[in-house]
């Protein structure tokens, strides 16, 4: 009887060890929300966190809170310098012991380009994969449907109307820092505090390229019916051809690609390292089937 119980206990210990190994085998996931949202909204990031934990056996998920409360996290998405946000997040992940061996990152809307900025500026702990869900990697030239509160959206519009590239607006409005005016490319390149910098528009920083190439892969998800992002092609690094706002060009037609300022062309030479996916829906409307077929499987490696 005693021997049987000991054997059963040994078997139980082995099963528990195997289960813990299975859970540990999934790389932790870091989420960065979009404009007007917060880390912990149960209808958005909270739902995504729960979905991933259900489908990946309780994987550790960090939904980033930029600030010391949900309210500050939301307002910082409008009014806190993006570079300071990245510094804050860099410190957060550096001090999270669950992320010491690296993490996969999923960014939603502006969180997509912010996470790319994080990958380029903050290589430790290592980001393994970047999944950008509707991120605007060449910036925007219009935000027709602000998703935040009426007050925050009104203040954003007021500041943009003052002039996106004025020093005051650049210092005080997040969306101005990734505003890309194709009619004034010189102004954009000279005064943009964030998107022009991480896209190497003026000075090519070798560490940005090297750090981004450390990722095993990048997946860019575009929404074909996006009514919030102008132009929606920015979600695949596309944008307007310089000097006008009608004709579009793809990533592959841009100087960013031709001169390989970020190493994307080099990454694309290896199958699976640079992925372009699309959803036939409006901004951030991701069907669960898409999660199951396209996103979750990428997080299992």
């Amino acid at each position: 009887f005693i021997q049987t119980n000991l054997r059963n206990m040994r078997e139980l210990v082995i099963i528990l060890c195997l289960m813990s190994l299975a859970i540990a085998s999934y790389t932790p996931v870091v989420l960065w929300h979009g404009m007007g949202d917060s880390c912990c909204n149960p209808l958005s990031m909270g739902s995504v966190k729960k979905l991933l934990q259900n489908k990946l056996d309780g994987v550790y998920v960090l939904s980033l809170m930029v600030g010391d409360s949900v309210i500050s996290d939301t307002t910082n998405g409008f009014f806190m310098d993006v570079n300071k946000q990245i510094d804050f997040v860099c410190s957060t992940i550096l001090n999270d012991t669950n992320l010491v061996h690296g993490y996969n990152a999923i960014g939603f809307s502006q969180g997509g380009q912010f996470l790319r900025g994080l990958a380029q500026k903050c290589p430790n702990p290592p980001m393994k994969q970047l999944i950008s869900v509707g991120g605007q990697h060449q910036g925007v030239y219009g935000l027709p449907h602000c998703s935040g509160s009426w007050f925050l959206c009104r203040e954003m519009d007021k500041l943009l109307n003052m002039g996106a590239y004025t020093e005051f607006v650049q210092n005080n409005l997040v969306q101005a820092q990734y505003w890309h005016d194709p009619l004034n490319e010189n102004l954009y390149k000279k005064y943009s505090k964030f998107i022009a910098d991480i896209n190497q528009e003026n000075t090519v920083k070798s560490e940005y390229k090297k750090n981004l190439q450390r990722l095993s892969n990048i997946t860019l998800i575009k929404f074909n019916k996006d009514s919030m992002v102008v132009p929606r092609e920015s979600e695949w690094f596309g944008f307007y051809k310089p000097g006008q706002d009608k004709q579009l060009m793809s990533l592959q037609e841009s100087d960013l690609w031709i001169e390989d300022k970020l190493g994307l062309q080099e990454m694309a030479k290896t199958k699976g390292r640079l992925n372009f996916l699309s959803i036939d829906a409006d901004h951030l409307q991701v069907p669960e089937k898409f999660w199951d077929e396209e996103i979750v499987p990428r997080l299992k490696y």
Side-chain angles (χ1 to χ4, degrees):
F1 175 76
I2 294 175
Q3 287 181 335
T4 300
N5 280 343
L6 287 173
R7 185 168 61 250
N8 289 340
M9 287 180 65
R10 282 198 299 270
E11 290 173 353
L12 179 60
V13 169
I14 291 170
I15 290 170
L16 290 173
C17 287
L18 289 173
M19 288 176 64
S20 66
L21 284 172
I23 293 173
S25 68
Y26 293 129
T27 300
V29 179
V30 172
L31 308 176
W32 199 330
H33 62 80
M35 176 182 73
D37 203 354
S38 73
C39 61
C40 312
N41 185 334
L43 299 179
S44 57
M45 292 300 97
S47 176
V48 170
K49 180 175 180 178
K50 186 180 295 184
L51 179 148
L52 293 175
Q53 290 176 326
N54 287 340
K55 294 181 182 295
L56 295 170
D57 298 324
V59 66
Y60 178 76
V61 179
L62 172 64
S63 185
L64 291 166
M65 178 190 288
V66 181
D68 56 9
S69 69
V70 171
I71 293 174
S72 65
D73 183 31
T74 303
T75 56
N76 285 339
F78 286 92
F79 304 123
M80 182 179 180
D81 186 301
V82 180
N83 298 295
K84 291 181 180 177
Q85 291 192 52
I86 288 174
D87 289 343
F88 180 94
V89 169
C90 186
S91 177
T92 298
I93 63 173
L94 191 61
N95 288 292
D96 190 328
T97 56
N98 292 293
L99 306 178
V100 66
H101 298 300
Y103 62 96
N104 291 323
I106 308 177
F108 298 84
S109 196
Q110 67 181 21
Q113 61 261 36
F114 295 175
L115 279 171
R116 176 164 66 86
L118 182 72
Q120 293 175 211
K121 293 167 175 271
C122 178
N124 295 302
M127 183 186 297
K128 296 186 176 183
Q129 296 185 69
L130 171 60
I131 299 175
S132 171
V133 185
Q136 304 100 46
H137 294 277
Q138 279 284 9
V140 298
Y141 189 51
L143 289 165
H145 302 296
C146 175
S147 61
S149 72
W150 174 82
F151 172 76
L152 293 174
C153 292
R154 186 190 67 176
E155 291 303 303
M156 179 192 73
D157 287 339
K158 187 188 299 182
L159 288 170
L160 284 174
N161 288 332
M162 287 175 60
Y165 300 122
T166 61
E167 183 177 4
F168 177 80
V169 176
Q170 278 291 310
N171 288 337
N172 291 281
L173 182 65
V174 165
Q175 289 69 34
Q177 293 180 1
Y178 59 85
W179 189 261
H180 185 168
D181 186 345
L183 305 180
N184 293 285
E185 286 282 337
N186 290 335
L187 279 178
Y188 151 69
K189 291 178 180 179
K190 185 174 182 179
Y191 294 111
S192 170
K193 290 188 65 176
F194 174 65
I195 202 72
D197 174 52
I198 66 166
N199 283 355
Q200 312 264 53
E201 295 282 17
N202 298 302
T203 303
V204 176
K205 300 174 182 176
S206 60
E207 67 270 22
Y208 281 9
K209 182 174 181 178
K210 180 178 73 175
N211 290 340
L212 195 63
Q213 288 192 298
R214 292 177 63 184
L215 274 62
S216 63
N217 62 76
I218 298 173
T219 298
L220 304 170
I221 300 172
K222 176 168 74 76
F223 293 90
N224 295 330
K225 297 180 180 178
D226 203 316
S227 62
M228 180 176 288
V229 174
V230 178
R232 64 178 68 103
E233 286 73 16
S234 183
E235 296 168 2
W236 278 2
F237 273 98
F239 204 68
Y240 296 114
K241 293 181 178 180
Q244 49 81 55
D245 61 356
K246 297 291 186 293
Q247 289 184 305
L248 293 158
M249 63 179 177
S250 67
L251 164 64
Q252 290 76 11
E253 297 174 280
S254 69
D255 290 342
L256 184 70
W257 177 272
I258 294 168
E259 298 174 22
D260 209 16
K261 294 179 179 181
L262 292 176
L264 298 176
Q265 187 180 154
E266 184 64 30
M267 291 181 75
K269 292 177 182 178
T270 303
K271 184 178 180 181
R273 290 200 69 199
L274 186 61
N275 308 292
F276 300 89
L277 304 179
S278 64
I279 300 175
D280 199 29
D282 205 345
H283 194 62
L284 299 187
Q285 300 304 302
V286 184
E288 186 167 352
K289 183 179 179 182
F290 190 91
W291 281 101
D292 289 341
E293 295 179 356
E294 297 291 354
I295 299 178
V296 171
R298 297 173 191 276
L299 302 174
K300 292 183 176 181
Y301 304 101

